[in-house]
Amino acid sequence: MKRFFKPIEKEGSAKKPSLSPSKNGAENGDALPEVDVKKEPLKFLTWNANSLLLRVKSNWPEFSNFVSNLDPDVIAIQEVRMPAAGSKGAPKKPGELKDDTSPSREEKQILMRALSSPPFGNYHVWWALADTKYAGTALLVKKCLRPLKVSFSLDGTVSKHEPDGRVILAEFETLRILNTYAPNNGWKDEENSFQRRRKWDKRLLEFVVQSSDKPLIWCGDLNVSHEDIDVSHPEFFSAAKMNGYVPPNKEGKVSRRV
């Protein structure tokens, strides 16, 4: 370690030391430490929260400990179920949380307070929200990482959001991160939801093919059942489908998590 002050040779002959380092820090002392800034994410976490506000109220300590221990660079969340900003009858802002009513302001405060506490204060949050408490996604990226671009549709348009906030796409120098909440198939082949899912799959395949210039990290709830473990009640749904059973409400149809 070099001395900051030169030793005084003769009384009165010493120059007054400078209190600010020179341009070359190694000349007058130790160089300033470099800040360790990551350029690309390496560790990813994806989670279907099934209402992020509900998780904050009931499971937040457990999830906070999990994130602290895992220390992911990126957290992809699906089924946020928080409404987009915008008053009734007015155009919505799917990138912002609703706060124009007393209940919505309270809910936003609860959620943002949780996301500002450790370890989530180390992350920047992007939202893609539906008009109501339905679907929606969020992407949390460590603040030491800087995406080149964040968009909210499969065509890469920054200002455009997919219906129901189902897509967030973050582009980095060497890779892309895609967070999706896929629509489910519905129950019957003739339902509109079945055709909607087919269109979704077609567009997603086109996006993956067109994005082959960089590696793609695809996170999310894909709403598919590869194996029985991917279904909440595999025996029930298998028998129900064979017997022509139709669920009495939409909640009964949502049974797949990936």
Side-chain angles (χ1 to χ4, degrees):
M1 180 181 295
K2 295 184 179 180
R3 296 181 179 179
F4 191 84
F5 302 109
K6 292 183 179 180
I8 299 176
E9 297 178 355
K10 295 181 180 180
E11 185 176 354
S13 63
K15 294 182 180 180
K16 184 179 290 186
S18 173
L19 297 180
S20 59
S22 65
K23 293 182 179 179
N24 184 355
E27 290 182 359
N28 289 334
D30 294 335
L32 297 175
E34 295 183 1
V35 178
D36 183 19
V37 178
K38 293 183 179 180
K39 293 185 178 181
E40 304 289 83
L42 299 174
K43 189 182 292 186
F44 309 90
L45 169 64
T46 181
W47 182 39
N48 182 303
N50 193 19
S51 175
L52 187 57
L53 183 63
L54 183 59
R55 300 287 79 79
V56 167
K57 292 180 177 180
S58 57
N59 307 102
W60 207 242
E62 294 86 349
F63 185 58
S64 298
N65 290 335
F66 179 75
V67 171
S68 295
N69 293 330
L70 184 64
D71 192 28
D73 295 323
V74 175
I75 305 173
I77 301 177
Q78 306 85 42
E79 275 202 278
V80 172
R81 292 193 180 185
M82 291 292 290
S87 56
K88 187 176 181 180
K92 299 297 188 287
K93 300 177 181 178
E96 301 177 19
L97 294 166
K98 181 179 178 66
D99 63 355
D100 62 326
T101 64
S102 180
S104 64
R105 280 193 295 272
E106 182 180 353
E107 291 178 346
K108 179 179 178 179
Q109 289 175 357
I110 293 172
L111 189 56
M112 297 312 297
R113 190 180 301 120
L115 291 175
S116 62
S117 64
F120 303 100
N122 296 325
Y123 295 82
H124 184 88
V125 185
W126 284 271
W127 302 99
L129 306 171
D131 293 350
T132 60
K133 287 185 176 181
Y134 172 72
T137 53
L139 190 71
L140 285 69
V141 180
K142 277 189 175 179
K143 293 178 179 178
C144 61
L145 299 165
R146 296 180 178 88
L148 301 176
K149 176 183 176 182
V150 177
S151 52
F152 307 90
S153 66
L154 292 176
D155 61 14
T157 304
V158 175
S159 59
K160 178 183 176 182
H161 281 65
E162 292 288 336
D164 301 327
R166 294 186 179 275
V167 171
I168 301 181
L169 175 65
E171 181 172 354
F172 291 83
E173 186 175 347
T174 61
L175 58 85
R176 292 184 179 92
I177 300 170
L178 177 64
N179 179 23
T180 65
Y181 175 46
N184 64 57
N185 272 329
W187 194 260
K188 290 185 177 181
D189 294 354
E190 64 269 19
E191 287 186 346
N192 291 333
S193 56
F194 188 85
Q195 297 303 322
R196 178 186 63 169
R197 177 56 184 265
R198 289 295 170 267
K199 292 179 181 178
W200 167 273
D201 290 345
K202 183 176 182 292
R203 292 184 61 218
L204 200 50
L205 177 60
E206 292 173 349
F207 167 80
V208 171
V209 172
Q210 294 170 1
S211 304
S212 58
D213 58 315
K214 290 183 180 181
L216 176 67
I217 308 296
W218 184 6
C219 306
D221 182 341
L222 309 188
N223 252 323
V224 295
S225 304
H226 178 56
E227 297 178 352
D228 283 352
I229 195 174
D230 299 316
V231 185
S232 59
H233 301 82
E235 294 181 359
F236 166 80
F237 280 101
S238 178
K241 184 67 175 177
M242 292 178 63
N243 296 328
Y245 170 77
V246 178
N249 54 60
K250 292 183 179 180
E251 291 299 320
K253 302 176 186 179
V254 181
S255 60
R256 298 163 296 281
R257 293 287 179 269
V258 171

